[in-house]
Amino acid sequence: QMFMRQANQVNQWDRLIMNNAEQIIDLNNEVEKVRADQQRLNHDLDFISSQQQELEDMLAPLEDKIKSAGVTLNNQHSDNEREKIYTLAEQIDSQLQQMSGDITEVVEHLNSVN
């Protein structure tokens, strides 16, 4: 009878060990899958990082060109504005000279009448 109890106890332990062994195998398989996924993710991240670096390397010269073109455009705009103001100043000067001549003629006419 004691032998049977011990045999049953050993049998229960054996089943417990077998169940635990299956669980360990399942967990080990899951860990391997996670490791493989992690390696794929690391590879994808490295690929994305290298693509991002390539894009940054390509964009840097373009951004510099845009910045310098922006300065050029601003300078051209300033030059155009300056030219318009100078032309306007010349027109005003011409009109003032004409008005001065007209006033001189009026004063001379009034002086000659008196």
Side-chain angles (χ1 to χ4, degrees):
Q1 198 176 23
M2 183 180 238
F3 174 76
M4 288 300 278
R5 267 189 291 149
Q6 288 177 347
N8 282 335
Q9 186 69 34
V10 168
N11 193 17
Q12 287 175 357
W13 288 341
D14 187 47
R15 273 186 266 144
L16 183 63
I17 289 172
M18 293 299 278
N19 286 337
N20 287 341
E22 287 177 17
Q23 288 177 355
I24 289 172
I25 290 171
D26 291 343
L27 287 173
N28 189 37
N29 289 337
E30 289 297 318
V31 167
E32 289 301 318
K33 287 179 186 176
V34 169
R35 283 184 184 161
D37 289 344
Q38 186 176 7
Q39 283 180 335
R40 274 195 301 277
L41 285 174
N42 285 337
H43 176 46
D44 290 346
L45 285 174
D46 289 342
F47 180 70
I48 290 169
S49 177
S50 68
Q51 283 186 328
Q52 184 175 3
Q53 186 61 45
E54 286 178 28
L55 285 173
E56 288 176 4
D57 292 344
M58 288 189 295
L59 286 176
L62 293 174
E63 288 173 346
D64 292 341
K65 285 182 182 179
I66 288 172
K67 286 178 185 174
S68 66
V71 169
T72 302
L73 290 175
N74 286 339
N75 287 343
Q76 287 176 350
H77 180 70
S78 297
D79 291 344
N80 290 340
E81 287 296 317
R82 207 175 356 264
E83 187 68 32
K84 287 179 186 176
I85 291 170
Y86 182 75
T87 302
L88 185 60
E90 285 180 330
Q91 290 172 352
I92 291 172
D93 182 55
S94 174
Q95 290 174 358
L96 286 174
Q97 286 179 2
Q98 180 66 38
M99 288 172 62
S100 176
D102 292 343
I103 290 174
T104 302
E105 286 180 17
V106 169
V107 168
E108 289 175 359
H109 177 69
L110 288 174
N111 285 338
S112 67
V113 171
N114 285 336

